[in-house]
């Protein structure tokens, strides 16, 4: 069950924000997102490395983000990571509204020591995900490394993004962190309002 509290999402200066709550048999999540924020993150998921990644996502995307998640970590981290990504994607979709005035497209490449991650995003309303690469170690702390790929997939499906991502490196911590930072920077660029544009950036008139 998902509960949404509306936030304005306009190119006219209204706040682009959303609050989403979701409760299932596996997780209970309360999340707030302000797209045009200061990069403040208050995260509690029960997975230390995942908290760090979400804080980094908020910081580098200049999003204000709060996440409270109570998940079935006695099983594994899958449901917590997946469901947080679902709720975050829903929050982006709600906060952006009709996407009027946004840049829509962006790409970012971010290095972290030996690792590098690249993200190309289209805030298209057509969910699609492609990923190239692999993580060099299976786990970082209590976080299964491949859940970073699944996080990006679940975010794209629920935010309505066409998202292409790739990673390369020899240290999974660096690879995952570079991916989260590249995703944040690309989404920051793609969701910015272009002052020259007052319409939705599509010849169809909607996204």
């Amino acid at each position: 069950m998902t509960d949404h509290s509306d936030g304005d999402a306009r190119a006219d200066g209204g706040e682009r924000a959303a609050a989403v709550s979701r409760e299932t048999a596996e997780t209970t999540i309360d999340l707030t997102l302000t797209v045009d924020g200061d990069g403040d993150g208050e995260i509690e998921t029960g997975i230390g490395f995942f908290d760090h990644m979400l804080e980094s996502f908020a910081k580098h995307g200049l999003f204000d983000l709060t996440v409270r998640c109570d998940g079935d970590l006695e099983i594994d981290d899958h449901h917590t990571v997946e469901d947080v990504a679902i709720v975050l994607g829903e929050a982006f979709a709600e906060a952006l509204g009709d996407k009027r005035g946004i840049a829509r497209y962006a790409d970012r490449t971010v290095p972290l020591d030996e690792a590098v991650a690249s993200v190309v995003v289209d805030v298209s309303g057509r969910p699609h995900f492609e990923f190239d690469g692999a993580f060099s170690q299976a786990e970082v702390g209590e976080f299964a490394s491949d859940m970073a790929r699944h996080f990006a997939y679940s975010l794209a499906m629920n935010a309505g993004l066409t998202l292409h991502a790739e990673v390369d490196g020899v240290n999974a911590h660096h690879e995952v962190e570079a991916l989260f930072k590249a995703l944040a920077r690309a989404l920051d660029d793609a969701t910015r309002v272009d002052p020259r544009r007052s319409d939705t950036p599509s010849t169809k008139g909607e996204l």
Side-chain angles (χ1 to χ4, degrees):
M1 179 179 65
T2 302
D3 175 62
H4 297 259
S5 299
D6 291 336
D8 292 331
R10 302 289 181 266
D12 59 5
E15 184 179 41
R16 299 190 298 172
V20 182
S21 296
R22 184 176 191 263
E23 183 173 357
T24 71
E26 298 163 342
T27 60
T28 299
I29 298 171
D30 294 302
L31 181 149
T32 67
L33 170 70
T34 300
V35 175
D36 308 300
D38 298 314
D40 296 330
E42 296 182 10
I43 316 296
E44 294 180 10
T45 69
I47 306 170
F49 183 71
F50 188 38
D51 289 356
H52 177 46
M53 292 302 95
L54 291 172
E55 289 165 358
S56 183
F57 176 85
K59 175 67 69 176
H60 290 276
L62 289 173
F63 309 124
D64 289 345
L65 178 65
T66 68
V67 181
R68 301 287 182 271
C69 178
D70 182 13
D72 55 357
L73 296 179
E74 71 279 3
I75 298 175
D76 63 14
D77 60 346
H78 184 104
H79 296 143
T80 291
V81 176
E82 178 181 62
D83 289 2
V84 167
I86 289 170
V87 173
L88 181 58
E90 291 175 346
F92 267 106
E94 182 176 327
L96 294 175
D98 63 8
K99 307 178 185 69
R100 187 176 300 274
I102 67 167
R104 177 176 171 178
Y105 302 99
D107 64 278
R108 282 290 186 135
T109 298
V110 171
L112 180 55
D113 296 348
E114 91 299 337
V116 64
S118 297
V119 168
V120 182
V121 65
D122 175 9
V123 187
S124 61
R126 298 188 305 278
H128 185 83
F129 181 70
E130 298 286 342
F131 183 82
D132 187 27
F135 300 101
S136 297
Q137 290 81 39
E139 296 178 344
V140 182
E142 297 178 343
F143 181 89
S145 300
D146 197 55
M147 287 307 300
R149 177 195 59 80
H150 193 61
F151 174 89
Y153 165 82
S154 299
L155 176 65
M157 293 301 104
N158 288 276
L161 309 175
T162 297
L163 179 63
H164 292 247
E166 59 182 274
V167 297
D168 184 50
V170 298
N171 180 298
H173 182 140
H174 295 166
E175 294 157 358
V176 172
E177 187 166 349
L179 177 61
F180 271 79
K181 289 176 177 178
L183 180 59
R185 290 295 181 101
L187 279 173
D188 179 37
D189 290 346
T191 58
R192 283 186 198 173
V193 173
D194 185 336
R196 301 169 300 173
R197 183 185 296 281
S198 61
D199 60 347
T200 299
S202 171
T203 54
K204 296 191 296 293
E206 64 180 34
L207 290 171

